[in-house]
Amino acid sequence: GENVEQHPSTLSVQEGDSAVIKCTYSDSASNYFPWYKQELGKRPQLIIDIRSNVGEKKDQRIAVTLNKTAKHFSLHITETQPEDSAVYFCAARRGNTGKLIFGQGTTLQVKP
Amino acid sequence: ETGVTQTPRHLVMGMTNKKSLKCEQHLGHNAMYWYKQSAKKPLELMFVYNFKEQTENNSVPSRFSPECPNSSHLFLHLHTLQPEDSALYLCASSQVIRGTSYNEQFFGPGTRLTVL
């Protein structure tokens, strides 16, 4: 069935370093890939998304890359800050449904 | 209130109780969703409603019964739950364009449910 694998499950970096989180999806019909950030005790919030017709998208310190052939996509955070500490979820979806399949989440800790 | 709201924020219930979770969106969206978030597990989609019609039921047990009376309100009726149903239940909403193009989902704060 549809599945999204996310790695690593935990990631610890020093402030100012880069962080990379990777996801692999199984459904080749997936064409929309959002990333959500969930701070402790708060709701998930969309931070960036990418559609299958582009290979990369950037928004300030955050970027997402997509390799459709390999069916994987990655989140890149540069110049990490303590406030980037949170759980990050990737997801994949077929464009004509509302069904988001989420990865298991990555707990990112940015040490000052 | 703005965005997506959920009530109650916390709920403790026994296995024989009947309770309901409520979600309301103030974004003018036309699709609403229920998710279950358990510790150490990915967010699990439970139900999707598009223009008040249920379009997805992700093999959810019948002890969870959704209701969507209009595009702004979504309920999850609970009865005879099990302790393993304890989790954070998140509601979300999004805009659907021309019936099939789903946009970004906005989440509510969730209801923390404990089943004793």
Side-chain angles (χ1 to χ4, degrees):
Chain A
E2 301 148 326
N3 189 45
V4 175
E5 294 287 334
Q6 182 172 347
H7 299 281
S9 57
T10 59
L11 180 59
S12 182
V13 300
Q14 286 296 131
E15 183 177 359
D17 287 351
S18 295
V20 181
I21 303 171
K22 299 182 178 181
C23 288
T24 304
Y25 60 97
S26 61
D27 184 358
S28 56
S30 297
N31 58 8
Y32 173 68
F33 308 90
W35 285 88
Y36 283 83
K37 176 184 180 182
Q38 187 175 27
E39 296 177 35
L40 191 62
K42 297 194 174 179
R43 71 191 75 192
Q45 291 197 295
L46 182 76
I47 54 171
I48 196 166
D49 55 12
I50 191 168
R51 297 183 187 272
S52 59
N53 57 349
V54 298
E56 184 175 0
K57 184 176 178 180
K58 275 187 179 179
D59 183 3
Q60 298 182 355
R61 296 186 297 108
I62 294 173
V64 58
T65 57
L66 171 65
N67 182 328
K68 280 193 299 181
T69 304
K71 292 193 283 187
H72 65 71
F73 56 113
S74 301
L75 177 71
H76 304 254
I77 306 174
T78 58
E79 300 170 32
T80 53
Q81 301 165 4
E83 51 265 38
D84 294 329
S85 297
V87 180
Y88 290 81
F89 293 96
C90 64
R93 188 195 75 195
R94 287 187 181 208
N96 62 348
T97 78
K99 191 173 180 180
L100 273 178
I101 305 299
F102 281 86
Q104 297 91 332
T106 295
T107 301
L108 173 65
Q109 182 187 26
V110 180
K111 297 177 182 176
Chain B
E1 285 280 12
T2 58
V4 182
T5 59
Q6 289 186 243
T7 55
R9 296 293 308 277
H10 300 272
L11 178 62
V12 179
M13 60 186 288
M15 290 190 285
T16 57
N17 291 159
K18 287 186 181 181
K19 296 286 184 183
S20 295
L21 309 184
K22 179 183 175 182
C23 176
E24 185 172 359
Q25 59 94 3
H26 309 266
L27 300 168
H29 290 163
N30 47 27
M32 297 186 78
Y33 312 77
W34 279 117
Y35 287 89
K36 177 183 178 183
Q37 186 173 32
S38 307
K40 310 293 184 188
K41 282 184 153 184
L43 276 156
E44 299 172 65
L45 179 69
M46 300 174 73
F47 302 102
V48 179
Y49 277 83
N50 182 347
F51 290 98
K52 301 187 297 177
E53 298 296 321
Q54 189 182 117
T55 56
E56 288 282 346
N57 177 336
N58 209 24
S59 303
V60 181
S62 59
R63 58 185 183 271
F64 295 91
S65 175
E67 178 191 359
C68 189
N70 55 61
S71 293
S72 299
H73 293 86
L74 184 65
F75 296 89
L76 188 62
H77 303 298
L78 316 170
H79 64 98
T80 59
L81 294 192
Q82 305 297 314
E84 58 264 29
D85 296 322
S86 298
L88 181 69
Y89 287 85
L90 289 159
C91 172
S93 72
S94 72
Q95 187 66 16
V96 181
I97 299 172
R98 291 190 290 277
T100 58
S101 180
Y102 289 73
N103 284 348
E104 172 191 350
Q105 292 184 21
F106 291 82
F107 284 85
T111 295
R112 174 69 61 187
L113 174 67
T114 303
V115 182
L116 301 176

